[in-house]
Amino acid sequence: MTQPPPSSPLPLASDGYPAAGGVARRSADSAESVRANRLWWDAAAPAYLAEHGSDLGDADFLWCPEGLREADGHLLRDVAGRRVLEIGCGSAPCSRWLRSAGADVVALDLSAGMLARAAELNRSTGIAVPLLQADAGALPLADGSMDLACSAFGGLPFVADVEGALREVARVLRPGGRFVASVNHPMRWPFPDSPDPDDLRIVSSYFDRTPYVETDDSGRTVYVEHHRTVGDWVRAVVGAGLVLEDLLEPEWTPGRTENWGQWSPERGALVPGTLILVARKPG
């Protein structure tokens, strides 16, 4: 079940995104991260989907800003007849694509604002997927109930206890089940958040795991993003009891012109922007 989003979760800036009164690098635990990011995505959903919705599509599976789509990459392999969990579904275009490919899908997200848009698109496309509002760190699903799990930039960079979230993924997967997730490439962390290749200069330490935190004018935390190194991701996957089968760093799709935050064709030709984890549950 999804709950209706609050009418005005946060004050908005002129671009439609939540206004940041302050920015800091400091610790932020699971409870603070969940609370802040639920508020932020509820408020940001209209602006985010207005900016990126045409690229994401209504029933399409885009893994990353570099332009890799599941229809081309086949990272999940054959999904027909499989029970699939999407974590951090947003407006759920990936889940609708999976449903069209014959999968039995559950689309999960923390944000009621995003799920409200997902429900609208379910109706307008005629491709209905079940929507579930929940935290990735506490999946309300039975042990071994899923054949596949996936997350396309959906939630993991915002989770404080990613090891716990991956243990939850391992718990709900059946033995032999597959998990594929795309996340911010750790190489992005030390550089300015700019698509300009001239801004490829080190401004912070790759090894500094201190979260990035935004607050509003009253000092309330409204956004939290967590950084892990490549090694951290590997240890988190293996520590959750999963077998890491591959690490992908997608190259920029030829002819693709879209800028997406720090991602751009010019910058994408020089450094990776996305890391894709491919794993399975033993058995």
Side-chain angles (χ1 to χ4, degrees), residues 8-20 40 42-47:
S8 299
L10 293 173
L12 302 179
S14 59
D15 60 1
Y17 286 93
W40 197 91
D42 281 351

Side-chain angles (χ1 to χ4, degrees), residues 187-189 191-196 260-264 267 272-273:
M187 276 287 293
R188 292 183 68 233
W189 192 253
F191 299 124
D193 190 13
S194 163
D196 190 340
W260 193 309
Q262 192 185 103
W263 290 266
S264 67
R267 196 160 179 169

Side-chain angles (χ1 to χ4, degrees), residues 9 30 71 136-137 141 154 213 224 228 239:
S30 292
L141 299 165
V213 178
V224 181
R228 282 104 193 170

Side-chain angles (χ1 to χ4, degrees), residues 41 53 68-69 72 166 188 198 278:
W41 284 105
L68 177 64
R69 284 178 154 81
D72 300 315
L166 292 176
R188 292 183 68 233
D198 290 340
V278 181

